[in-house]
Amino acid sequence: MMNLGIHLIIDAWDCPAELLNDLDAVRQALLEAAEAGGATVIDVCTHQFSPQGVTATATLAESHIAIHTWPEYGYFAADAFFCGAGDPYAALESLRANLQVGNMRTTELKRGIEGMSRPLEL
Amino acid sequence: MMNLGIHLIIDAWDCPAELLNDLDAVRQALLEAAEAGGATVIDVCTHQFSPQGVTATATLAESHIAIHTWPEYGYFAADAFFCGAGDPYAALESLRANLQVGNMRTTELKRGIEGMSRPLEL
């Protein structure tokens, strides 16, 4: 497979509910994760759900990071897709610390084209 | 596992390069995918890269859809994360048609909390 990027899928639980419902805290955790990963932020979108829950997505020059929280379960789902430069694992570690994660499961996916071992001739 | 949503990971190739470099076409494909999936769009962010490539992310009430294109390889990476309502497979089929996908690989991930079979008592 021609590998064009690494996509980390992050399920995290046993996090403080009030933190996961704090839009500013989640936005700040997202921005710090991007910075820790050496990524360039193009735009950020955040949304506060009612009665609870926050979504924050960062569009990056390297692809994206998205966070969706369920405070009622102490859970958030995140993913960090980095192509080219940057270190998604550094972004992950920043998120883990800032959102006070108790337990998590991380899956690394390699993104790209199947059946191709090197770039096309352009 | 307590399942909170379905996250489709989509690698697609053998797509027309000029289509994948057309910001308006990719944005429109994203919006139509969200509509096909029955999702509610909160915000959309798009970016045209130089010399080529487009990123388009939609923040949804149901989570997100993101598309990142590499026209030089006829390739795009997308993901569609739907929690609660909506049908990510309908979004996928819309994307496949609108971006004229020749080949694709799709992975379904169930997102949620390990070791929990039902919601917490709240």
Side-chain angles (χ1 to χ4, degrees):
Chain A
M1 194 186 83
M2 185 174 66
N3 183 15
L4 288 168
I6 289 178
H7 197 170
L8 295 185
I9 306 295
I10 303 150
D11 292 286
W13 57 98
D14 295 339
C15 309
E18 65 279 10
L19 186 58
L20 296 189
N21 205 36
D22 181 335
L23 184 72
D24 290 338
V26 174
R27 186 178 196 280
Q28 188 62 29
L30 177 66
L31 291 173
E32 290 188 17
E35 185 178 2
T40 301
V41 175
I42 293 171
D43 201 1
V44 174
C45 174
T46 58
H47 187 74
Q48 177 85 52
F49 291 96
S50 177
Q52 60 209 345
V54 166
T55 274
T57 56
T59 301
L60 308 175
E62 294 76 12
S63 289
H64 73 265
I65 305 175
I67 305 172
H68 312 286
T69 79
W70 280 255
E72 65 272 39
Y73 300 136
Y75 166 85
F76 71 87
D79 64 310
F81 183 12
F82 281 56
C83 61
D87 178 359
Y89 283 98
L92 168 65
E93 284 310 310
S94 174
L95 267 191
R96 182 210 290 264
N98 280 331
L99 296 178
Q100 300 177 32
V101 172
N103 276 295
M104 69 193 303
R105 177 186 57 215
T106 305
T107 305
E108 178 185 302
L109 304 173
K110 288 186 168 53
R111 308 296 304 271
I113 304 175
E114 249 175 30
M116 190 189 300
S117 58
R118 59 181 185 280
L120 293 163
E121 295 291 331
L122 298 176
Chain B
M1 193 186 84
M2 185 175 63
N3 183 15
L4 288 169
I6 288 179
H7 196 171
L8 295 186
I9 306 294
I10 302 149
D11 292 284
W13 57 99
D14 295 339
C15 309
E18 65 280 10
L19 186 57
L20 297 189
N21 204 37
D22 181 335
L23 184 73
D24 290 339
V26 173
R27 185 179 196 280
Q28 189 60 29
L30 177 66
L31 291 172
E32 290 188 19
E35 185 177 1
T40 300
V41 175
I42 293 171
D43 200 0
V44 174
C45 173
T46 58
H47 187 74
Q48 176 85 52
F49 291 95
S50 176
Q52 59 209 346
V54 166
T55 274
T57 57
T59 302
L60 308 175
E62 294 77 13
S63 288
H64 74 266
I65 305 176
I67 305 172
H68 312 286
T69 78
W70 280 255
E72 66 272 38
Y73 300 136
Y75 166 85
F76 71 86
D79 64 310
F81 183 13
F82 280 56
C83 62
D87 177 359
Y89 283 98
L92 168 65
E93 284 310 311
S94 175
L95 267 192
R96 183 210 291 264
N98 280 330
L99 296 177
Q100 300 177 33
V101 172
N103 276 294
M104 69 193 303
R105 177 186 57 216
T106 305
T107 305
E108 179 185 303
L109 303 173
K110 289 189 167 50
R111 307 296 304 271
I113 304 175
E114 249 175 27
M116 190 189 299
S117 58
R118 59 180 185 279
L120 293 162
E121 296 291 333
L122 299 176

